[in-house]
Amino acid sequence: MSNTTARARLHEIIRDRSFGYGEITLASGRKSNFYFNLKPTMCDPEGAALLAELTYEALKDDKLDYVGGLEMGAVPLAGALAQLSWMKGAPIGAFFVRKKPKEHGARLAIEGLTKTESLAGKRIVIVEDVTTTGGSAVKALDAVREAGAEVALVFTMVDRDEGASETFAAAGVPFRSLYKASEFLKG
């Protein structure tokens, strides 16, 4: 399947499974009359495969060591991308950042790495399912920078176009998206 065909099909899946109208409060605290909940798309076999394939294609030339982001939205994306990158012979490891470290066990903020692995000096991409202002992704960005990683970029599946570009520009990090919210809104 060509990237154009895959992108069109994924758009249909997101529209049918993950997009809707109705007043909601976003993670940023803002009110909106439309929403994206990408979990049904990320948990759909075809949706998950297309998200991984299109994300891999968008990132394959960025020379990445790891992909990850803030729980919960980044977890299925990072795992699917790690698996696909392995299958394509260009492995990219995965991790995720907890919203707050566990209060038991190893008490880690960054999960998915062994005791001998570190993000220090590694090129990583922060992935996110839906981005509004960028505040959630900045939490992951700060955590991996604190761990010594080089953040190559932030990549989201859907950019709501509500300030994230400015947030990441201020943080000195490139920002790209698979889709813009406007691609789903009625004309």
Side-chain angles (χ1 to χ4, degrees), residues 55-101:
T55 301
Y56 177 83
E57 288 300 317
L59 299 175
K60 70 181 180 184
D61 296 329
D62 288 302
K63 299 180 177 77
L64 302 168
D65 297 305
Y66 286 92
V67 58
L70 196 65
E71 66 175 334
M72 177 71 218
V75 175
L77 295 169
L81 186 58
Q83 179 183 7
L84 181 62
S85 70
W86 173 262
M87 293 168 59
K88 293 198 176 256
I92 301 169
F95 67 91
F96 72 91
V97 177
R98 288 185 176 277
K99 290 178 183 166
K100 67 177 205 167

Side-chain angles (χ1 to χ4, degrees), residues 85-157:
S85 70
W86 173 262
M87 293 168 59
K88 293 198 176 256
I92 301 169
F95 67 91
F96 72 91
V97 177
R98 288 185 176 277
K99 290 178 183 166
K100 67 177 205 167
K102 286 191 333 185
E103 295 180 11
H104 61 282
R107 300 172 190 233
L108 300 172
I110 298 173
E111 294 278 4
L113 307 175
T114 68
K115 290 180 185 179
T116 62
E117 289 177 302
S118 168
L119 294 181
K122 304 295 185 187
R123 267 180 74 79
I124 65 107
V125 61
I126 299 292
V127 292
E128 195 166 43
D129 53 351
V130 180
T131 306
T132 302
T133 63
S136 294
V138 166
K139 291 176 187 174
L141 180 76
D142 290 345
V144 299
R145 279 183 167 168
E146 188 175 305
E150 174 195 346
V151 180
L153 73 144
V154 174
F155 188 82
T156 188
M157 303 307 107

Side-chain angles (χ1 to χ4, degrees), residues 147-168:
E150 174 195 346
V151 180
L153 73 144
V154 174
F155 188 82
T156 188
M157 303 307 107
V158 179
D159 177 10
R160 289 182 55 97
D161 269 332
E162 295 184 33
S165 294
E166 295 79 5
T167 297
F168 298 120

